[in-house]
Amino acid sequence: MTQIVTISFFRFGSVRSRLWAFAMMGLARGQMSRIPSIGFWKLFGSGSNEGFTPKPNVSVYSILATWPDRQTAERSLQESAIFARYRQHAIENWTVFMEAETARGKWSGETPFSTTNQSHNGPLAVITRATLRPQNLARFWRRVPNISQVIGQDPNVVFKIGIGEVPLFQQVTFSIWPSLEHMNNFARKGHHARAIQAVRMEGWFKEELYARFTLIADTGTWDGDSPLKKLDIL
């Protein structure tokens, strides 16, 4: 069996539904932990504008989870009461199914993704995650808006969003690219490359993780359609 990683996004419209989603950042934890066969999981809020800023986007929340196989992932997302409640309250939802190609680093002290250690030439998704050291918060957030603006202007990025577990301190980026070459071209140039160099030299992060994924399938819509249709792979 191959581990499946899912990331689900939910958009909430009314004030009441947004307050519900915010409350579930704490209240959903018990229900998530009781889902049969679920592995590693995390609940996220999101950032505004290009998606990675200190200002929150109170309408978008996300759930990351790992499963032992695709069949279990699909059944659990469909049948679990907590996921059903998120869909019921949301005005739109979208889930991406993936397999981890490579991963390095830790997440909450764990190695969450079982990797295939195989690269392919097609479209891919990338997750980067970090816990910031308090003394480096100001320097980090001075740089990140520039990076978010650049990635938003990149014509090759298919989807991008900044999400987080703890505001300001624990940050995640999720992005989808047509190919590894396109992703590397962005990562190794300009603001992003300089920020990565600063991270390494100045030790901004207490913990970090980078993972690259093969895209398997998706369900639902985002902004009225499946972003993966742009890739013509599913």
Side-chain angles (χ1 to χ4, degrees), residues 63-185:
I63 303 175
L64 174 80
T66 66
W67 314 90
D69 54 65
R70 181 173 175 178
Q71 182 179 11
T72 301
E74 291 176 342
R75 183 181 66 251
S76 298
L77 292 179
Q78 185 61 35
E79 297 178 358
S80 296
I82 185 61
F83 279 97
R85 291 183 68 195
Y86 268 87
R87 290 192 296 270
Q88 180 183 0
H89 283 83
I91 58 174
E92 188 172 37
N93 68 90
W94 179 52
T95 295
V96 184
F97 296 77
M98 310 175 290
E99 294 178 358
E101 294 181 3
T102 63
R104 61 176 182 268
K106 298 284 186 179
W107 194 330
S108 298
E110 298 184 42
T111 304
F113 305 126
S114 298
T115 60
T116 62
N117 295 317
Q118 296 178 349
S119 298
H120 74 295
N121 295 323
L124 67 145
V126 173
I127 288 177
T128 61
R129 185 267 179 186
T131 297
L132 289 150
R133 298 183 188 278
Q135 64 269 31
N136 293 316
L137 279 179
R139 281 178 291 179
F140 177 82
W141 286 112
R142 279 198 299 267
R143 286 183 181 266
V144 162
N146 289 331
I147 298 171
S148 292
Q149 183 178 10
V150 171
I151 192 173
Q153 295 170 351
D154 192 311
N156 296 306
V157 65
V158 175
F159 179 83
K160 77 285 183 186
I161 190 168
I163 51 182
E165 304 160 71
V166 177
L168 299 180
F169 284 94
Q170 293 181 333
Q171 301 299 315
V172 180
T173 60
F174 176 75
S175 57
I176 296 175
W177 302 84
S179 69
L180 182 60
E181 180 182 7
H182 286 102
M183 188 274 293
N184 283 336
N185 285 340

